[in-house]
């Protein structure tokens, strides 16, 4: 299990969030280019391991600052440490206490790992970083993802009509957010003083 190397930063019931490592680049690029996974992403480019490696360098640089502009995590299955995807907090704005959330799960979808990873990322955003509002966008056809986000603590707040094309068809984008006031820390509350 990768946890023995100290790469996990927060562990939940199904998922563990850890640091991204250069050796993940080939696997991440394979998932990113998989049509089944890609249809739910807004990114339309094609990536290879070199491009994914460059992205890893960029997000690592952004995350290392005392007040990072983005924090990206590797998602692992907490039962065996297997890499299953990535998620991140992006466009972090400390003045307003908000950021954007993004995730993709390449392996073991439909097992609750993505929901748990989302909950852990919200715990990090609210409890560790002191943010108040996290927003995401999801395509209206992706009911499974909407349900997972709702189980993790997000609520639907609106939609952008016809704002995305998926496989040649126009769809709405559902806007969802989570706020610290509505969120109960599943892991990091144990670290609170007192």
């Amino acid at each position: 299990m990768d946890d023995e190397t100290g790469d996990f930063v927060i562990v939940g019931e199904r998922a563990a969030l850890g640091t991204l490592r250069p050796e993940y680049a080939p696997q991440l690029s394979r998932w990113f280019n998989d049509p089944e996974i890609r249809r739910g992403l807004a990114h339309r480019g094609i990536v290879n391991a070199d491009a994914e490696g460059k992205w890893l360098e960029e997000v690592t640089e952004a995350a290392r600052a005392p007040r990072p502009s983005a924090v990206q995590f590797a998602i692992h299955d907490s039962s065996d440490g297997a890499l299953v995807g990535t998620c991140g907090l992006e466009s972090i704005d400390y003045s307003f206490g908000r950021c954007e959330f993004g995730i993709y799960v390449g392996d073991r979808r439909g097992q609750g790992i993505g929901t748990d990873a989302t909950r852990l990322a919200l715990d990090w955003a609210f409890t560790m970083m002191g943010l108040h509002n996290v927003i995401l966008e999801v395509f209206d056809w992706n009911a499974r993802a909407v349900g997972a986000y709702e189980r993790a603590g997000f609520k639907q707040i609106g939609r952008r009509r016809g704002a995305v094309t998926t496989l040649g068809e126009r769809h709405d984008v559902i806007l969802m957010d989570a706020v610290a006031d509505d969120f109960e820390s599943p892991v990091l509350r144990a670290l609170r003083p007192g």
Side-chain angles (χ1 to χ4, degrees):
M1 183 186 290
D2 286 342
D3 189 28
E4 295 172 1
T5 66
D7 284 343
F8 292 174
V9 295
I10 183 171
V11 179
E13 295 176 15
R14 295 286 299 123
L17 302 185
T19 57
L20 290 166
R21 301 194 303 196
E23 58 266 29
Y24 296 161
Q27 182 61 58
L28 295 176
S29 66
R30 278 192 294 280
W31 286 333
F32 201 81
N33 292 326
D34 181 314
E36 176 65 24
I37 295 166
R38 290 295 301 279
R39 69 189 185 120
L41 302 176
H43 189 286
R44 297 295 184 230
I46 302 291
V47 299
N48 60 19
D50 292 338
E52 203 68 8
K54 184 166 177 49
W55 173 79
L56 287 170
E57 289 175 15
E58 291 168 0
V59 298
T60 299
E61 182 64 25
R64 75 174 192 84
R67 291 172 64 91
S69 58
V71 176
Q72 293 287 335
F73 299 99
I75 303 171
H76 299 268
D77 185 325
S78 63
S79 69
D80 63 7
L83 178 69
V84 298
T86 69
C87 68
L89 307 169
E90 302 166 350
S91 302
I92 299 170
D93 182 334
Y94 295 97
S95 296
F96 295 108
R98 64 189 184 193
C99 71
E100 299 172 9
F101 176 73
I103 185 171
Y104 77 88
V105 177
D107 275 345
R108 304 182 188 188
R109 291 187 303 278
Q111 299 180 19
I113 297 171
T115 300
D116 197 37
T118 300
R119 191 176 300 113
L120 294 173
L122 287 174
D123 199 4
W124 194 267
F126 297 142
T127 311
M128 189 62 69
M129 299 182 73
L131 300 176
H132 180 73
N133 179 285
V134 179
I135 193 167
L136 65 79
E137 296 182 351
V138 60
F139 304 156
D140 66 351
W141 56 261
N142 199 345
R144 196 164 100 186
V146 171
Y149 294 138
E150 289 175 337
R151 287 188 298 280
F154 282 90
K155 294 181 179 173
Q156 294 186 39
I157 59 170
R159 62 177 54 222
R160 296 181 71 180
R161 296 173 294 159
V164 68
T165 301
T166 301
L167 300 174
E169 295 180 347
R170 185 131 319 260
H171 292 274
D172 292 354
V173 172
I174 298 171
L175 303 174
M176 302 180 78
D177 79 351
V179 295
D181 296 341
D182 296 340
F183 187 77
E184 181 61 39
S185 168
V187 176
L188 295 174
R189 70 175 172 257
L191 300 177
R192 291 179 179 153

